[in-house]
Structure formats: C-alpha cells, structure tokens
Amino acid sequence: GSLFKISLYANDSSTANLAASAAFQRISELNKALSDYDEKSETWQLNADRTKANEKYTPGEDLWQAMLLSKELNELTYGAFDPTIGSLVRLWRRSRRRVELPGHNDLVRSMQNSGFANIKIHHHEKTIQFLKDELMLDFGAIGKGIAADEAAKILKNHGINIFMMDAGGDLLVGKAPPKQKGWRIDMQ
C-alpha cells in the first residue's frame, strides 16, 4: 500500500534498469504476502478466514519469515510491537471513516482477539496456528521495512551499492553518491 521510489547509481543504464526491476519485483512479492489491503494477498486471505482457529496453516516463506521476525520483536519489546492487532487496526480504520469512536464492547472484543498469546508458531513444521478465529495480522509497522531491506539486498546483489530508497516516507540509503559525503534529503 506504499509508494516506493529508488534512486541509484550504476555503471550503465542496462544494469540500473535490471537491478531496479528486480528490486521492485521483490517489493511486489512481499506486498502479495504481507498486505492487509490487497484481497489477493496471503495475509488478507488468512485474515478473512473465519474458520482458522486451531487449524495449522503453512504460510509462504515471506509470511513465515515476517512472523518469525515479528515474534522476535514482540519479545524484545515486551509486547509493544505486535502484528496480531489487525482486528484493532480495522476497528480504528472504520471509526476514522465514520468519524466516531469505537464502542467499548467492540474495543474489548478486538483486544481479546489480539496478542501473540493467541497464536502458536510451530518451528519444526513451519506452521502457524491461530487460537481465535477473529485474530488478524497487520504488518503495517514492519512490512515497508522488510520490503526495503529485501530490495536493498537485490540492488547489492546486482552490484548497486549507491542508492537511496524512499519506502512511503521511510528512507533507506546505501553508500553516498560519487563525490558526495552523503545523500541530500529535502523536506517539504
């Protein structure tokens, strides 16, 4: 759901185009796995499944890796980072559209259907298991960063080390442009 822009330096336009195309392709692949806006994405479809409780689900590799990283960050932040708050995010999005605060019962229900305590990660099987049907994933806090990091790896694999990536307002930079100490960043 975010616009990505890549500025880069390469020895020739062919290398630049090939590297940029591969980076954008990788971003697209991750969007197809992690988006909660795109009805065709793996995350959206998993969220829409109201019969998922207690069923083991074998995610694609990108969703699997995002879950592992998210679990690690959840533990490191003592629960402050939590992509299982998808039902809360949707509740607040709906409230914003309606220009009204969510009801108390809706908030309580969404909170009860959130939290890593309501999901099991089976490492040996590479499966995840939701313990509640209404638990929903939202990778909005981490998805752009994962996509930017993966796109940067692609650029570097193509020999592109001088780049700046704007991932919907979040910046990731490689080495400085030729004859520069760093990237110039203008803010409006």
Side-chain angles (χ1 to χ4, degrees):
S2 295
L3 181 65
F4 277 66
K5 180 182 175 184
I6 301 174
S7 302
L8 58 86
Y9 286 80
N11 292 331
D12 56 77
S13 62
S14 175
T15 301
N17 289 332
L18 186 63
S21 292
F24 282 119
Q25 176 62 35
R26 184 68 181 121
I27 292 165
S28 179
E29 290 169 2
L30 286 159
N31 190 60
K32 288 176 183 162
L34 305 179
S35 173
D36 68 327
Y37 285 97
D38 182 354
E39 294 180 13
K40 295 178 183 174
S41 82
E42 183 178 12
T43 297
W44 193 95
Q45 291 178 9
L46 183 58
N47 285 345
D49 182 359
R50 292 288 171 238
T51 62
K52 62 184 169 260
N54 298 314
E55 297 291 325
K56 290 183 180 178
Y57 175 76
T58 304
E61 187 62 23
D62 289 330
L63 181 55
W64 174 251
Q65 291 301 323
M67 286 299 300
L68 294 180
L69 179 58
S70 294
K71 179 68 173 166
E72 180 182 347
L73 292 173
N74 179 267
E75 292 168 357
L76 287 171
T77 62
Y78 303 101
F81 175 82
D82 191 349
T84 69
I85 61 166
S87 59
L88 278 165
V89 172
R90 284 199 179 171
L91 178 64
W92 281 101
R93 283 180 190 159
R94 186 177 71 218
S95 294
R96 186 176 56 207
R97 281 191 312 271
R98 293 179 178 175
V99 191
E100 65 184 23
L101 292 174
H104 175 75
N105 291 341
D106 290 335
L107 279 170
V108 169
R109 184 172 155 206
S110 291
M111 289 173 65
Q112 289 172 343
N113 287 294
S114 298
F116 259 105
N118 294 316
I119 192 167
K120 288 184 180 179
I121 297 176
H122 302 279
H123 294 275
H124 59 286
E125 298 172 347
K126 287 182 95 170
T127 61
I128 57 177
Q129 183 178 7
F130 290 26
L131 302 181
K132 298 199 176 199
D133 285 334
E134 294 187 32
L135 186 136
M136 299 171 82
L137 299 172
D138 184 318
F139 292 103
I142 196 172
K144 286 191 304 185
I146 291 172
D149 287 345
E150 288 291 308
K153 287 179 192 175
I154 298 288
L155 294 175
K156 290 175 182 176
N157 287 342
H158 282 83
I160 307 292
N161 293 307
I162 302 171
F163 64 88
M164 178 171 63
M165 190 176 323
D166 178 350
D170 297 330
L171 299 178
L172 178 64
V173 297
K175 292 183 179 180
K179 300 179 185 176
Q180 301 292 319
K181 291 183 180 181
W183 286 90
R184 180 185 166 128
I185 299 171
D186 294 328
M187 300 174 97
Q188 295 180 345

